């Protein structure tokens, strides 16, 4: 069990490679978004309309100030107040409608991504899982997918909504008073430059943070699963030091992200505020000189204040978008991992047919119940990620186990005994030689068929969070209660019947509840 994260990281290569732009990364989500694009598009239009309604409020204020207020008409003021109330209610209602429109489709998108990730992990070879820490895979299936759902629900829509709102608001400002409008637009160039610098630095920090969280998840998972070993050998302090070190790295990275975001948000907030203050001073002078009406100045400043949130939210939306782009890269690092061609072919042949039919598709000649037995003819194996100069784990292995025979394979630790046993059920594929079962090459049989004929008892027993009976019968879908009883008798596990619910007793993760 590892207590440090100094093992080569599966994503180190991705971090060293030039990172694609956030937009190109996020575009890879299109296949998932396409089935629900109508609902998302409708929600975006509704949000744009709701946001633009907010820009109508300053125009209503201008009418009230220059009309009923200037004419001392109370009834007109009440009419204007009712108009403002209706605009506010309509805006709130439209934003609520947008939320309702996106809730169900985005839940479906997240479920589809999680389903595809899990299915892909099941089809990837054992060599892939040997290289990847489980915590890295868990963080991609949980934290990263949650980030992507948040991006689709909020930043993706509001980058468009706020952009349209800013454009429409600037048009209204120029129509009202183009001179003051130029004053308000002065901060645009420095804000664009700041956002460009921020985008690059924040994307690097976001990727580092998400990888570190994956490492931290690995340590936590190992500590929970190996709690008995940790306590038995008194290693809790060492494990705690490893956790503290990784947690400190995550904390440092998160503080760096917060510093970047605070720096950007502070500048994005300050520059527009200074522009509004300058416009207020100039506008007041123009009202005093009679060049500008009081209602126009109120409407102008109200419009400028209504644009504060769309402008100030740019930093927040960019941060979420960059984190989501990083999450997309991390997700597709797994989804892009190649599945062996024969696994793809078997999946295609088996789609839409029953189990017995899938066996028939995979082989034209059934394996005989009695025959030549198991043969390994010149079998060799080397791991895919082994250095070129490293010797093969297995080389020219020749074995013949006849029906009814028992063979003991003995050797020093690390000599390849376990690796050899993984070749027979095709958990790994031999790099040379062939393995036959009753004369049939196992590579000519579908994996499902091979694994129905070959049973493996691994060194480390794994108990799933299911009932005792389900754990015992795993891999035997058609087994009966009699088969279960016979298996428990052979295993001398009669104590199972004394459990509170017998074979239906729930077994906790790794069987710790027993």
């Amino acid at each position: 069990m590892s207590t440090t994260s100094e093992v080569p990281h599966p994503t180190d290569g991705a971090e060293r490679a030039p990172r694609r732009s956030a937009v190109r990364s996020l575009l890879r989500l299109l296949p998932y978004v396409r089935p629900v694009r109508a609902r998302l598009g409708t929600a975006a239009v509704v949000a744009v309309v709701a946001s633009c309604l907010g820009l109508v409020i300053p125009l209503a204020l201008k009418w009230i100030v220059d009309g009923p207020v200037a004419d001392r008409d109370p009834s007109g003021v009440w009419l204007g107040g009712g108009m403002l109330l209706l605009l506010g209610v309509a805006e709130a209602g439209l934003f609520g409608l947008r939320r309702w429109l996106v809730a169900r489709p985005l839940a479906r998108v997240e479920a589809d991504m999680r389903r595809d990730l899990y299915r892909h992990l099941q089809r990837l070879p054992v060599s892939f899982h040997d290289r990847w820490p489980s915590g890295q895979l868990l963080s991609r299936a949980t934290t990263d997918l949650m980030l992507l759902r948040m991006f689709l629900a909020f930043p993706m829509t509001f980058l468009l909504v706020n952009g349209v709102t800013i454009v429409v608001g600037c048009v209204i400002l120029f129509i009202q008073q183009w001179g003051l409008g130029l004053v308000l637009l002065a901060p645009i160039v420095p804000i664009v430059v700041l956002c460009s610098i921020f985008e690059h630095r924040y994307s690097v920090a976001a990727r580092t943070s998400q990888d570190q969280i994956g490492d931290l998840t690995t340590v936590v998972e190992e500590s929970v699963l190996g709690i008995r070993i940790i306590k038995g050998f008194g290693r809790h302090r060492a494990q705690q030091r490893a956790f503290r070190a990784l947690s400190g790295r995550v904390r440092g990275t998160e503080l760096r992200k917060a510093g970047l975001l605070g720096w950007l948000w502070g500048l994005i907030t300050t520059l527009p505020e200074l522009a509004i203050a300058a416009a207020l001073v100039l506008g007041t002078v123009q009202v005093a000189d009679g060049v500008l009406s009081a209602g126009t100045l109120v409407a102008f400043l109200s419009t400028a204040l209504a644009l504060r949130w769309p402008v100030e939210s740019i930093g927040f939306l960019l941060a979420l978008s960059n984190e989501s782009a990083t999450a997309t890269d991390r997700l597709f690092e797994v989804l892009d991992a190649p599945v062996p061609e024969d696994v793809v072919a078997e999946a295609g042949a088996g789609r839409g047919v029953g189990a017995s039919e899938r066996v028939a598709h995979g082989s034209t000649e059934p394996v005989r119940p009695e025959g030549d037995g198991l043969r390994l003819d010149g079998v060799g194996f080397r791991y895919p990620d082994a250095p070129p100069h490293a010797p093969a784990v297995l080389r020219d292995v020749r074995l013949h186990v006849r029906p009814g025979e028992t063979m003991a394979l003995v050797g020093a630790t690390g000599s390849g005994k376990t690796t050899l046993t993984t070749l027979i059920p095709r958990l790994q594929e031999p790099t040379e030689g062939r393995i036959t079962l009753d004369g049939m090459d196992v590579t000519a049989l579908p994996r499902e068929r091979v694994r129905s004929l070959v049973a493996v008892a691994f060194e480390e027993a794994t108990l799933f969070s299911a009932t005792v009976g389900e754990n015992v019968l795993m891999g035997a879908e058609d087994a009966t209660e009699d088969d279960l009883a016979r298996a428990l008798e052979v295993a001398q596990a009669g104590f199972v019947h004394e459990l509170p619910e017998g074979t239906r007793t729930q077994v906790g993760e790794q069987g710790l509840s027993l």
Side-chain angles (χ1 to χ4, degrees):
M1 179 174 56
S2 66
T3 58
T4 67
S5 60
E6 297 177 0
V7 181
H9 199 285
T11 55
D12 283 345
E15 290 180 0
R16 289 194 298 268
R19 187 185 180 279
R20 73 175 72 198
S21 69
V23 174
R24 289 184 61 191
S25 296
L26 294 170
L27 283 175
R28 300 200 68 183
L29 299 176
L30 279 178
Y32 292 102
V33 175
R34 193 172 289 120
V36 297
R37 62 186 182 275
R39 290 280 294 259
L40 295 182
T42 303
V45 171
V46 168
V48 168
V49 173
S51 185
C52 290
L53 273 180
L55 298 177
V56 178
I57 293 176
L59 300 179
L61 284 173
K62 176 183 177 181
W63 175 81
I64 294 173
V65 172
D66 287 344
V69 172
D71 297 338
R72 301 181 182 276
D73 177 15
S75 61
V77 173
W78 282 105
L79 177 63
M83 186 189 308
L84 292 176
L85 179 62
L86 286 176
L87 287 172
V89 170
E91 182 182 3
L94 288 173
F95 275 122
L97 175 61
R98 184 205 74 85
R99 174 76 66 174
W100 177 79
L101 285 171
V102 301
R104 186 181 295 273
L106 292 183
R108 172 186 168 184
V109 169
E110 183 183 15
D112 288 346
M113 289 191 289
R114 184 170 284 113
R115 178 203 62 206
D116 287 353
L117 178 62
Y118 185 80
R119 181 175 60 187
H120 194 71
L121 287 172
Q122 297 299 312
R123 299 169 67 193
L124 286 170
V126 174
S127 58
F128 172 90
H129 294 278
D130 290 341
R131 295 193 306 272
W132 278 71
S134 55
Q136 288 291 338
L137 299 176
L138 284 172
S139 65
R140 282 160 170 77
T142 53
T143 306
D144 290 346
L145 289 183
M146 180 190 68
L147 276 173
L148 294 181
R149 177 172 53 81
M150 289 175 58
F151 167 77
L152 295 174
F154 190 69
M156 184 182 73
T157 299
F158 278 90
L159 281 171
L160 170 65
V161 172
N162 290 359
V164 173
T165 303
I166 291 172
V167 171
V168 173
C170 288
V171 171
I172 293 174
L173 291 175
F174 272 93
I175 291 174
Q176 291 175 346
Q177 178 53 258
W178 67 269
L180 296 181
L182 289 176
V183 173
L184 287 179
L185 290 180
I188 284 184
V189 174
I191 286 177
V192 170
V193 174
L194 290 172
C195 290
S196 176
I197 297 173
F198 168 82
E199 192 272 341
H200 172 70
R201 293 184 178 179
Y202 195 86
S203 64
V204 174
R207 176 62 198 240
T208 303
S209 173
Q210 285 166 284
D211 285 340
Q212 289 174 344
I213 290 173
D215 293 335
L216 193 64
T217 305
T218 299
V219 171
V220 173
E221 183 200 21
E222 290 176 344
S223 299
V224 172
L225 295 180
I227 190 65
R228 294 182 179 181
I229 295 175
I230 292 173
K231 288 184 175 293
F233 287 94
R235 298 295 297 169
H236 59 281
R237 295 189 185 278
Q239 199 72 4
Q240 187 175 4
R241 285 194 296 271
F243 177 84
R244 189 183 299 118
L246 283 173
S247 183
R249 294 180 200 171
V250 174
R251 176 178 177 272
T253 305
E254 288 297 324
L255 287 176
R256 187 161 71 251
K257 285 169 55 183
L260 287 169
L261 185 56
W263 169 75
L264 177 71
W265 208 326
L267 290 174
I268 285 181
T269 302
T270 302
L271 292 176
E273 292 288 351
L274 293 175
I276 291 175
L280 174 60
V281 172
L282 292 175
T284 303
V285 171
Q286 291 181 357
V287 171
D289 293 340
V291 177
L292 194 68
S293 70
T296 301
L297 179 60
V298 169
F300 186 90
L301 293 176
S302 298
T303 304
L305 291 174
L307 294 177
R308 281 179 58 191
W309 164 246
V311 173
E312 292 174 3
S313 66
I314 290 175
F316 172 69
L317 295 175
L318 283 178
L320 275 179
S321 299
N322 273 283
E323 290 187 358
S324 301
T326 299
T328 303
D329 289 338
R330 283 165 50 85
L331 172 66
F332 281 95
E333 281 171 8
V334 178
L335 292 179
D336 289 342
V339 176
E341 294 182 4
D342 54 341
V343 175
V344 177
E346 289 175 18
R351 190 175 294 117
V353 296
S356 59
E357 293 173 287
R358 288 198 294 271
V359 171
H361 281 307
S363 173
T364 57
E365 180 182 348
V367 177
R368 297 184 297 277
E370 295 182 1
D372 190 45
L374 176 67
R375 282 185 180 271
L376 281 74
D377 186 12
V379 170
F381 178 78
R382 62 183 299 117
Y383 285 98
D385 55 350
H389 60 276
V393 178
L394 300 173
R395 187 169 55 249
D396 196 28
V397 177
R398 300 179 184 276
L399 290 175
H400 184 198
V401 184
R402 297 172 180 82
E405 286 187 342
T406 301
M407 186 195 74
L409 190 63
V410 182
T413 300
S415 61
K417 304 184 298 297
T418 302
T419 301
L420 180 62
T421 59
T422 63
L423 299 179
I424 298 169
R426 296 184 65 189
L427 297 177
Q428 305 271 15
E429 299 290 351
T431 50
E432 58 185 52
R434 64 197 296 260
I435 301 174
T436 60
L437 191 60
D438 284 345
M440 285 292 298
D441 192 327
V442 294
T443 59
L445 294 168
R447 281 180 171 80
E448 183 179 350
R449 177 61 171 158
V450 173
R451 291 167 189 172
S452 70
L453 298 169
V454 178
V456 182
F458 294 99
E459 294 174 281
E460 298 179 359
T462 300
L463 292 178
F464 294 89
S465 296
T467 66
V468 172
E470 288 169 338
N471 271 280
V472 173
L473 297 177
M474 182 164 288
E477 297 179 357
D478 300 327
T480 63
E481 288 293 327
D482 292 337
D483 296 325
L484 174 60
R486 185 164 57 254
L488 291 172
E489 182 181 355
V490 170
Q492 300 180 12
F495 73 91
V496 165
H497 300 294
E498 300 175 9
L499 293 174
E501 297 181 42
T503 58
R504 291 182 173 83
T505 302
Q506 286 287 331
V507 176
E509 188 175 11
Q510 294 299 318
L512 294 181
S513 65
L514 297 178

